Amino acid sequence: MTKFVFVTGGVVSSLGKGIASASLAAILESRGLKVTLIKLDPYLNVDPGTMSPFQHGEVYVTDDGAETDLDLGHYERFITTRMKRSNNFTTGQIYKSVLEKERRGDYLGKTVQVIPHVTNEIQEFVMRGAKADRIDVAIVEIGGTVGDIESLPFLEAVRQMSLKLGPTNFAFVHLTYVPFISAAGELKTKPTQHTVQKLREIGIQPDVLLCRADRTIPDDEREKISLFTNVPLHGVISMPDVDVIYKVPRVLHEQGLDEQVCMKLQLLTRPADLRRWDVLVQEVLQPKHEVTIAMCGKYTDLSDSYKSLNEALRHAGIHNHARVKIEYVDSETLTEQNVSQLAKFDAVLVPGGFGKRGVEGKILAAKYARENRIPYLGICLGMQVATIEVARHLAGLADANSTEFDPATPHPVIALIDEWQDRDGTIQKRDANSDLGGTMRLGAQSSDVVPGTLAHHIYGPVVTERHRHRYEANEHYLDRLQIAGLVISAITQREKLTEIVELPQDKHPWFVGVQFHPEFKSTPWDGHPLFIHYVKAALDHQMARTTSPVKVVA
Ligand code: GLN
């Protein structure tokens, strides 16, 4: 029978509940348990797919094509269980499902209410998320902060669940904040006392408190928290800021978090073994090299917008014994006059993106990287801009574009699949009012890789990666692009969807564009072959640059 750990958060958001949950999962996994994680999001969007990364951070994509909260990325990077659509749901999804049932008449004439109908639905969704093969422990992270109107139905649902499960089958872990007030020179426990009061009002008594603070919490304060919250002292765990997130499992384990949880759940296991986390931390802290990558995107200061990408680059750094520094270059500000600022970087990266803003700057970045032989990685939109660049400047197709940015372009080298598949001269216009949610190519898809290409060297004969995009390279232009020098290194057999493009290695040391998002599959343990090769190319470029000065093409 699966046992449950419910993780709630108090006082403020952004305390790292996702990392805390993933760390607990990782420690339990190292004790030999089969663990999964489920994230409950208290907003009304059906999924985060339609939300701006400015608002919500990255949209993470699972193998089965679900657009999910970025915490699922932490989960997949920290534990071995793969996440699926059922591992993340929102209030929007719950209401959608309840309302569909109501319309079908499933409630047999009853008045449909938050309690019991919405709370029952939440419990069903949680059970569904935990229903994978022989899961010992499902860790359920409840988004939002205790005290919010939005998360109340979730808390009520898990309270009811705990009653049904019985005391040895659930544990409550509450993440709270202990601020240091510099004027008083003290750590303050009052917000923690209040958030636990709020939780107990709802009927939930936490078994463990994870106390976030900018420092380690001394025993005096821990005792005070224990007394006021009715959580035994050994359950009051200090979670200080750390320089490397991979230290978190060790910090929590040293204070007995997993022991507390296993005792409550009456799970007898072997001891935790966190040696591989220690090795990882050492690697991160003692790099032999450093590379700086220019990331040309439009979300310039919010690293959450490119969370998985940043992580994948760091993982690739670990596997090259290098620290990877990422500098954001706002593509909206890039012009012919200032694009040479990219010369100082060891590599250029154009990440995924939607909408016209900043696209011309990204095309310039691809051109500059191509002409100056700077390693270039284009991801999704980054592949599309590289294709447009080659079309314009090597294939002589002036004004080539994607129909996403210029619907009237004379050369739609990138277009919606139904625009180019039906295309005998005319471009089929899409309904401007069509539904934005759910019209994308999503999730894992495979394709063969052409032998002899750089992509083949990296991936071998088959590539399987996750997608999240609407537009595709237009098959009707591929011949002209290939004659102009672009190599199509992977294309799907049936639909002829271009997956990878590159430049021949005698023309450019490392220039690759991929239509998918490889960053979602990178873990600190294995890294990801594409990113590992890319960071290696950046190191080689740095080496070549420092031994022989480069000639910059303006
Ligand atoms: N906007 C492009 C498309 O929809 C690229 C999307 C992306 O980079 N994820 O095809």
Side-chain angles (χ1 to χ4, degrees):
M1 182 183 162
T2 303
K3 303 192 180 230
F4 289 83
V5 178
F6 301 110
V7 182
T8 52
V11 188
V12 287
S13 58
S14 306
L15 289 178
K17 213 188 312 154
I19 294 288
S21 305
S23 299
L24 172 60
I27 313 170
L28 294 180
E29 200 174 77
S30 84
R31 293 178 71 129
L33 294 166
K34 184 131 171 61
V35 186
T36 194
L37 286 137
I38 304 165
K39 174 82 195 278
L40 280 50
D41 280 310
Y43 48 75
L44 284 169
N45 303 59
V46 170
D47 62 42
T50 54
M51 281 154 93
S52 155
F54 277 125
Q55 284 256 324
H56 184 266
E58 159 187 281
V59 176
Y60 187 77
V61 180
T62 55
D63 269 337
D64 63 356
E67 297 179 276
T68 72
D69 186 77
L70 59 76
D71 275 331
L72 270 77
H74 293 311
Y75 302 166
E76 286 209 336
R77 289 187 282 272
F78 271 56
I79 65 166
T80 53
T81 310
R82 293 303 87 193
M83 295 294 119
K84 295 193 295 263
R85 184 176 296 280
S86 53
N87 290 79
N88 182 205
F89 62 87
T90 68
T91 299
Q93 259 171 59
I94 295 289
Y95 273 85
K96 188 166 181 265
S97 175
V98 167
L99 292 175
E100 278 165 8
K101 285 186 181 171
E102 187 273 332
R103 289 292 86 184
R104 278 203 308 267
D106 292 3
Y107 295 115
L108 306 172
K110 292 212 179 74
T111 309
V112 181
Q113 294 179 300
V114 172
I115 304 172
H117 302 101
V118 168
T119 48
N120 284 352
E121 197 70 19
I122 294 170
Q123 293 178 60
E124 268 173 43
F125 270 60
V126 170
M127 284 307 205
R128 196 180 307 164
K131 221 174 80 193
D133 280 345
R134 296 193 303 279
I135 292 290
D136 300 308
V137 182
I139 297 176
V140 182
E141 181 190 343
I142 298 157
T145 309
V146 171
D148 294 350
I149 292 177
E150 278 91 346
S151 45
L152 259 181
F154 285 146
L155 295 170
E156 170 60 15
V158 298
R159 184 196 65 79
Q160 290 180 14
M161 245 183 109
S162 69
L163 189 69
K164 291 178 201 159
L165 287 165
T168 58
N169 294 320
F170 73 86
F172 278 105
V173 173
H174 187 59
L175 187 74
T176 173
Y177 182 49
V178 183
F180 181 79
I181 306 296
S182 49
E186 275 179 36
L187 280 162
K188 290 293 182 188
T189 65
K190 193 71 79 189
T192 298
Q193 298 176 31
H194 282 160
T195 178
V196 176
Q197 271 171 24
K198 201 85 208 150
L199 207 54
R200 290 168 66 186
E201 244 170 58
I202 306 165
I204 295 173
Q205 168 64 44
D207 300 293
V208 173
L209 291 178
L210 297 178
C211 303
R212 289 283 292 115
D214 64 352
R215 63 200 66 207
T216 303
I217 298 172
D219 289 345
D220 283 354
E221 271 75 19
R222 286 181 48 242
E223 276 168 25
K224 196 164 161 190
I225 292 171
S226 165
L227 188 67
F228 281 98
T229 58
N230 213 29
V231 175
L233 184 60
H234 51 243
V236 181
I237 289 173
S238 172
M239 194 175 161
D241 288 348
V242 285
D243 47 353
V244 180
I245 56 164
Y246 309 129
K247 282 185 180 173
V248 178
R250 167 66 69 197
V251 168
L252 298 178
H253 167 68
E254 294 293 324
Q255 297 177 76
L257 170 66
D258 47 312
E259 203 47 47
Q260 297 303 316
V261 169
C262 287
M263 256 164 48
K264 175 75 175 43
L265 301 180
Q266 294 191 354
L267 285 167
L268 275 179
T269 73
R270 61 174 196 237
D273 178 1
L274 298 178
R275 270 173 302 181
R276 70 173 189 159
W277 291 90
D278 301 335
V279 172
L280 187 61
V281 169
Q282 282 315 310
E283 273 294 342
V284 175
L285 289 176
Q286 291 167 351
K288 294 195 182 73
H289 317 279
E290 179 171 294
V291 286
T292 312
I293 290 173
M295 189 169 328
C296 306
K298 67 178 174 185
Y299 307 120
T300 45
D301 48 356
L302 283 173
S303 55
D304 264 5
S305 308
Y306 301 121
K307 191 80 207 163
S308 295
L309 191 47
N310 294 336
E311 289 296 314
L313 288 167
R314 290 210 181 95
H315 302 157
I318 294 169
H319 289 266
N320 280 289
H321 307 290
R323 170 175 294 131
V324 176
K325 278 177 59 186
I326 301 162
E327 268 190 43
Y328 298 101
V329 176
D330 182 357
S331 60
E332 262 189 300
T333 64
L334 276 180
T335 61
E336 296 272 6
Q337 286 69 44
N338 67 20
V339 65
S340 62
Q341 64 182 285
L342 297 180
K344 65 174 184 286
F345 294 102
D346 301 314
V348 171
L349 193 150
V350 175
F354 293 84
K356 191 180 162 100
R357 194 153 63 83
V359 159
E360 287 302 319
K362 292 176 191 177
I363 296 173
L364 264 179
K367 176 166 184 275
Y368 190 83
R370 176 177 61 79
E371 290 178 341
N372 293 287
R373 300 169 58 87
I374 304 173
Y376 176 88
L377 176 59
I379 292 181
C380 209
L381 178 64
M383 180 201 100
Q384 298 176 355
V385 299
T387 307
I388 295 168
E389 194 279 309
V390 167
R392 285 186 192 172
H393 305 115
L394 294 182
L397 302 168
D399 299 324
N401 214 329
S402 162
T403 53
E404 181 178 6
F405 316 125
D406 178 8
T409 172
H411 297 296
V413 290
I414 308 288
L416 293 170
I417 191 165
D418 51 3
E419 287 177 337
W420 56 262
Q421 281 195 339
D422 303 339
R423 190 167 179 277
D424 304 312
T426 54
I427 291 181
Q428 303 252 317
K429 281 276 173 291
R430 224 162 65 101
D431 176 6
N433 299 318
S434 69
D435 206 354
L436 270 188
T439 55
M440 287 205 237
R441 176 144 81 111
L442 282 167
Q445 284 169 23
S446 304
S447 122
D448 293 340
V449 184
V450 178
T453 59
L454 178 57
H456 194 277
H457 176 61
I458 294 169
Y459 276 106
V462 178
V463 52
T464 306
E465 293 280 17
R466 301 181 193 170
H467 290 254
R468 180 173 183 253
H469 57 100
R470 292 191 182 83
Y471 294 79
E472 305 279 355
N474 184 340
E475 192 199 345
H476 304 286
Y477 282 94
L478 295 185
D479 284 348
R480 272 173 280 181
L481 292 169
Q482 279 170 299
I483 292 166
L486 191 70
V487 176
I488 312 292
S489 27
I491 184 162
T492 63
Q493 275 225 319
R494 203 163 49 88
E495 288 144 317
K496 299 286 175 243
L497 304 178
T498 302
E499 297 283 67
I500 310 180
V501 301
E502 62 187 71
L503 290 176
Q505 286 208 276
D506 55 342
K507 293 267 168 16
H508 194 291
W510 210 99
F511 190 102
V512 178
V514 293
Q515 186 57 83
F516 42 75
H517 289 273
E519 67 272 26
F520 294 142
K521 282 177 53 172
S522 178
T523 69
W525 317 115
D526 305 321
H528 184 291
L530 185 66
F531 288 100
I532 293 174
H533 274 83
Y534 173 62
V535 169
K536 166 93 174 45
L539 277 166
D540 291 347
H541 180 67
Q542 182 185 65
M543 186 79 88
R545 219 166 26 134
T546 41
T547 46
S548 65
V550 270
K551 228 175 68 214
V552 170
V553 181

